[in-house]
Amino acid sequence: MATYTRPKPHFTLLFITFFIFFFQGKSSSWLDTEANEVVMVHSTRPDWPKRCDFSVGKWIYDQSYPLYDSNCPYLSTAVTCQRNGRPDSGYEKWKWKPNGCSLPRFDALKFLGKMRRKRIMLVGDSIMRNQWESLVCLVQGVIPTGHKKVTYNGPTMAFHALDFETSIEFSWAPLLVELKKGPDNKRVLHLDLIEENARYWRGVDVLVFDSAHWWTHSDQWSSWDYYMEGKSLYKTMNPMIAYQKGLTTWAKWVELNLDPRKTRAIFRTMSPRHNRQNGWKCYNQKTPLQFFSRPHVPEQVVVLKGVLRRMRFPVHLQDVTTMSAFRRDGHPSVYRRALNQAQRQHPREFSSDCSHWCLPGVPDIWNEMLSAML
């Protein structure tokens, strides 16, 4: 059993490092140049029409939003910021206006019509669960009581719109590849195994993937003790090399198991975190940022785009990273739990969540984009 503590630099790592340095060093014009990168990534389909780039634009205040309220019964307590006592609600009223085109307002009946007799599954971590709850709340209001239900199967849950024979599903797989218990109860992340998670994805008509945040957990926050690839066990590895290996395993599974004539595959880029200063960067923020003083492309996005470009299967990229980076006002912060009147007088006594999103809120716009892509 081989071990090592410091992988030797190789071409892939140098390539990633170069791109990270290149993008971080750009001026504010990055917001425009990044937009010119492929939004629908495909390596061998130049015949596909060029579509509007939804990823670059600006947030516009719109009094007609939100499209549902925080009393939606399918919301987790941690994202119902209004019910938990958040005093402002302006964060619910921003819509996204892409440059050069418009993003259609979410139409629940139209979406359900497109998904009639189909399954759509969102695969990923708790932020993908955040998006799943948003999507369910966007559609459930047009479905009569008794004509909808939620079912559970292992790491998956599904909202069923019975009259449409449609299911909107969520599959918990934050790393996509498998995380297992090994000898001495040690947690082992298998970079080349995926079937245990992927068996739940078979037969789905629309698959939306996300995997980013867990790959950068470190030290006491790490979800594993060792990496494993083949029969080799590693204590440490550059996290972006590990991420690339995991995504490559996912890509191989997609190529071998999915038929592009039957299944649409989408990969959503990472949701930005505003959690510097121990989570207080998003506290008491009430409006979107107007610009970035130092634009930044997360390493995970660079790696993801590289993997997708090498795929033969046409995976569509849903780029939400830049648009969401403006929205540090949209996180639960201390309102991830219900605070009584006395507790609201001392908010800094409570932990602040600057990773997930209040609902209604930013993930509703992701789902407007998703609906437009479909």
Side-chain angles (χ1 to χ4, degrees), residues 11-25 302:
F11 176 77
T12 307
L13 177 55
L14 293 174
F15 178 81
I16 293 169
T17 304
F18 167 77
F19 268 89
I20 293 164
F21 173 81
F22 178 77
F23 281 120
Q24 283 182 333
V302 177

Side-chain angles (χ1 to χ4, degrees), residues 42-238:
H42 52 89
S43 57
T44 57
R45 299 294 298 274
D47 55 310
W48 282 22
K50 184 179 179 67
R51 298 188 181 184
C52 174
D53 185 350
F54 290 140
S55 68
V56 179
K58 61 183 177 180
W59 290 96
I60 297 175
Y61 192 82
D62 188 329
Q63 195 66 45
S64 69
Y65 282 73
L67 303 179
Y68 59 91
D69 62 42
S70 61
N71 291 318
C72 172
Y74 301 98
L75 293 180
S76 302
T77 300
V79 300
T80 55
C81 302
Q82 289 296 298
R83 286 201 311 223
N84 292 343
R86 180 167 174 168
D88 61 302
S89 60
Y91 65 89
E92 298 180 337
K93 300 184 179 298
W94 294 89
K95 73 175 182 180
W96 179 247
K97 174 65 175 69
N99 294 340
C101 60
S102 61
L103 190 60
R105 186 183 180 92
F106 191 90
D107 184 321
L109 287 174
K110 186 175 181 180
F111 178 83
L112 288 167
K114 285 188 287 189
M115 290 292 104
R116 185 182 295 274
R117 289 186 290 278
K118 289 184 171 64
R119 298 170 61 196
I120 178 171
M121 178 181 282
L122 281 59
V123 180
D125 57 19
S126 58
I127 298 177
M128 188 60 99
R129 163 76 182 263
N130 210 175
Q131 184 177 351
W132 176 80
E133 292 183 9
S134 161
L135 186 55
V136 169
C137 287
L138 283 166
V139 304
Q140 69 90 25
V142 301
I143 304 171
T145 304
H147 295 249
K148 52 193 171 186
K149 66 177 182 178
V150 174
T151 59
Y152 302 88
N153 176 29
T156 71
M157 59 181 73
F159 171 85
H160 301 269
L162 301 178
D163 294 339
F164 291 86
E165 300 177 64
T166 295
S167 64
I168 301 171
E169 306 176 38
F170 169 71
S171 179
W172 172 257
L175 296 155
L176 300 180
V177 293
E178 297 175 19
L179 181 62
K180 297 181 176 183
K181 284 289 179 69
D184 301 323
N185 224 27
K186 294 295 185 181
R187 301 162 302 169
V188 180
L189 180 58
H190 293 263
L191 298 174
D192 53 0
L193 297 181
I194 199 170
E195 186 57 41
E196 191 173 291
N197 295 324
R199 60 196 170 112
Y200 295 99
W201 313 339
R202 296 179 183 277
V204 177
D205 300 281
V206 179
L207 283 162
V208 185
F209 295 96
D210 152 59
S211 184
H213 286 294
W214 280 42
W215 291 92
T216 55
H217 290 179
S218 58
D219 303 325
Q220 73 268 30
W221 303 109
S222 178
S223 302
W224 58 87
D225 302 298
Y226 295 97
Y227 299 96
M228 193 165 190
E229 187 176 25
K231 296 182 178 180
S232 299
L233 196 67
Y234 306 109
K235 180 61 178 173
T236 61
M237 186 182 295
N238 179 291

